[in-house]
Amino acid sequence: MAPGAKKGILERLDAGEIVFGDGGFVFALEKRGYVKAGPWTPEAAAEHPEAVRQLHREFLRAGSNVMQTFTFYASDDKLENRGNTLPFSGQQINEAACDLAREVANEGDALVAGGVSQTPSYLSCKSENDVKAIFKKQIDVFVKKDVDFLIAEYFEHVEEAEWAVQVLKSTGKPVAATMCIGPDGDLNGVSPGDCAVKLIKAGAQIVGINCHFDPMTCVKTVKMMKEGVEKAGLKAHYMCQPLAYHTPDCNCQGFIDLPEFPFSLEPRILTRWDMQQYAREAYNAGIRYIGGCCGFEPYHVRALAEELAPEKGSLPQGSEKHGIWGSGLEMHTKPWVRARAHRDYWENLKPASGRPFCPAMAKPNAWGITKGHADLMQQKEATSKDQLKVLFDKSNKSN
């Protein structure tokens, strides 16, 4: 390795190092006023680069070792879906996202990962060649910008994830692949273990889970992947980038089926102490790429880094302003707050919601539709009032 060069993702994982991912840019920037809920598209990379750059920096300071390009749902078919009209092309958004991620990664020892995700074209039953062509357009930008590795993330169907991995693998760069599934498997019932085997055979060197479920559910699902891979006599590295929301009541569709999605999820947010437990569980399960997805903020990643600091051998810069296990409270003016400056207090606390009339869990919608269903066929035109009325009526009947 040349002097001053960074170790690549596989070099780090092969050496047994812990790699911390970043968090959920789409949700974080929606809360900050730079992403629109619904299309969830990442035009902010070109429209408000200062916001994306700042969030990258906050995750870097919190301990993230990977700056993932803000290219979630940046495929052309998604950018043009259901009346979503933007002043930027997919290429412009993807290029801007790569530049921002590289700029901030160069401020520390972080790598840049270019990411692709599931497409409206697949849900609308377009051909394998059509779907792969969409991935290829994004990949061409990532190759041009020379990202360090590639991630196929947020796939509900392993078939589409395999197609994505095959396109990513053609670049010669390391490939990671994560599915947004739980213990029940993908939406066609393919088990987590079988999904992982398929992804590895397609060319992924790192496999795992992201989004849709809480950390403990995702760790459990990665364990199932690991079992399937080992049973098949294959090898891989494992990654986990879950939600920052508790989801004990979710079905196979995850948090999207919760009635609180997406605007009333705050009561479910994991505390920093929950995150430390997640970090330890993931590490003990053999997962070495540990990060987050929707709901994750920089302080959540800092908690991961603090929990595994003994194994990592260092603390992030962000810990300069955070006492481990609340030790900074030793300086508080109130004695009863100073009495909380220790691990036992925070590790055993059962946080109250402050919502006396709210249930502990919700009833998921469970419409039970997936690829090929008429309601999932995508279109460039805006959703019509007549189309919405059908959905509203169906929703009222299912509640």
Side-chain angles (χ1 to χ4, degrees):
M1 189 167 62
K6 298 177 183 179
K7 288 193 289 185
I9 186 64
L10 294 180
E11 291 173 280
R12 299 181 190 208
L13 294 173
D14 286 344
E17 294 183 24
I18 301 166
V19 173
F20 294 116
D22 53 14
F25 270 59
V26 170
F27 266 48
L29 289 169
E30 191 278 332
K31 289 180 171 67
R32 290 159 170 80
Y34 298 103
V35 165
K36 188 172 187 177
W40 302 110
T41 47
E43 62 271 15
E47 190 175 38
H48 295 287
E50 73 288 349
V52 178
R53 182 186 296 111
Q54 176 60 25
L55 190 55
H56 275 308
R57 283 188 174 137
E58 291 179 21
F59 277 112
L60 181 70
R61 180 173 172 81
S64 295
N65 304 121
V66 176
M67 298 293 104
Q68 199 166 326
T69 58
F70 185 39
T71 51
F72 177 80
Y73 274 168
S75 60
D76 284 344
D77 61 338
K78 180 62 178 177
L79 295 171
E80 299 171 349
N81 197 42
R82 293 199 173 274
N84 190 32
T85 56
L86 301 173
F88 304 99
S89 68
Q91 181 173 343
Q92 287 175 310
I93 293 169
N94 282 284
E95 288 185 350
C98 288
D99 290 342
L100 291 167
R102 177 62 69 192
E103 177 187 347
V104 177
N106 285 345
E107 295 173 5
D109 187 33
L111 301 173
V112 175
V116 301
S117 46
Q118 65 183 8
T119 64
S121 292
Y122 181 81
L123 290 178
S124 298
C125 301
K126 295 290 181 67
S127 71
E128 177 179 348
N129 287 339
D130 287 342
V131 174
K132 284 185 171 180
I134 290 168
F135 294 136
K136 181 67 165 55
K137 288 186 72 172
Q138 281 190 272
I139 295 306
D140 287 344
V141 174
F142 298 150
V143 171
K144 174 185 174 183
K145 293 295 183 177
D146 196 24
V147 300
D148 298 306
F149 69 103
L150 300 165
I151 302 178
E153 69 167 2
Y154 196 78
F155 286 88
E156 296 171 306
H157 302 87
V158 71
E159 180 183 57
E160 187 184 15
E162 288 179 274
W163 295 352
V165 169
Q166 289 163 3
V167 176
L168 270 57
K169 188 65 177 176
S170 69
T171 67
K173 292 182 179 291
V175 175
T178 56
M179 299 193 66
C180 50
I181 63 174
D184 291 335
D186 84 344
L187 294 190
N188 287 325
V190 180
S191 72
D194 287 345
C195 285
V197 168
K198 288 176 180 291
L199 295 174
I200 293 168
K201 289 182 176 180
Q205 294 116 321
I206 309 164
V207 295
I209 297 296
N210 84 295
C211 206
H212 275 205
F213 296 92
D214 60 43
M216 295 311 174
T217 302
C218 288
V219 169
K220 176 182 177 181
T221 308
V222 176
K223 285 182 180 179
M224 296 171 72
M225 284 185 153
K226 190 168 183 282
E227 290 170 1
V229 170
E230 292 173 352
K231 184 178 180 180
L234 300 173
K235 291 184 178 180
H237 296 292
Y238 299 94
M239 66 186 291
C240 191
Q241 301 209 106
L243 298 175
Y245 303 108
H246 291 285
T247 61
D249 40 354
C250 281
N251 56 25
C252 64
Q253 286 269 15
F255 80 143
I256 292 176
D257 265 10
L258 292 175
E260 302 100 315
F261 176 87
F263 297 126
S264 297
L265 290 164
E266 284 81 0
R268 294 174 176 264
I269 292 176
L270 275 75
T271 69
R272 63 195 70 193
W273 319 117
D274 294 327
M275 289 300 177
Q276 293 203 204
Q277 183 184 8
Y278 153 52
R280 183 56 58 189
E281 290 291 326
Y283 184 85
N284 290 343
I287 301 167
R288 292 295 177 266
Y289 189 135
I290 305 171
C293 199
C294 298
F296 260 73
E297 292 283 345
Y299 76 95
H300 288 128
V301 171
R302 182 180 63 189
L304 306 181
E306 289 181 350
E307 174 63 28
L308 296 176
E311 290 80 5
K312 182 78 169 175
S314 62
L315 284 167
Q317 280 185 307
S319 292
E320 295 170 3
K321 297 293 184 181
H322 184 247
I324 304 298
W325 287 107
S327 61
L329 298 180
E330 295 169 5
M331 295 182 280
H332 202 279
T333 55
K334 303 295 191 289
W336 58 90
V337 179
R338 291 199 297 274
R340 300 169 186 167
H342 60 101
R343 177 171 181 161
D344 284 349
Y345 179 86
W346 295 109
E347 196 167 36
N348 295 305
L349 180 70
K350 304 297 182 188
S353 71
R355 297 174 179 270
F357 301 109
C358 288
M361 295 192 287
K363 180 183 177 182
N365 290 134
W367 281 23
I369 63 175
T370 186
K371 177 195 174 187
H373 191 283
D375 289 345
L376 274 181
M377 294 297 172
Q378 305 302 301
Q379 61 190 49
K380 286 190 177 182
E381 301 78 24
T383 306
S384 69
K385 290 183 178 179
D386 287 341
Q387 288 174 322
L388 285 173
K389 185 179 185 303
V390 172
L391 298 178
F392 295 159
D393 290 345
K394 184 173 182 178
S395 179
N396 289 335
K397 291 177 181 178
S398 66
N399 290 338

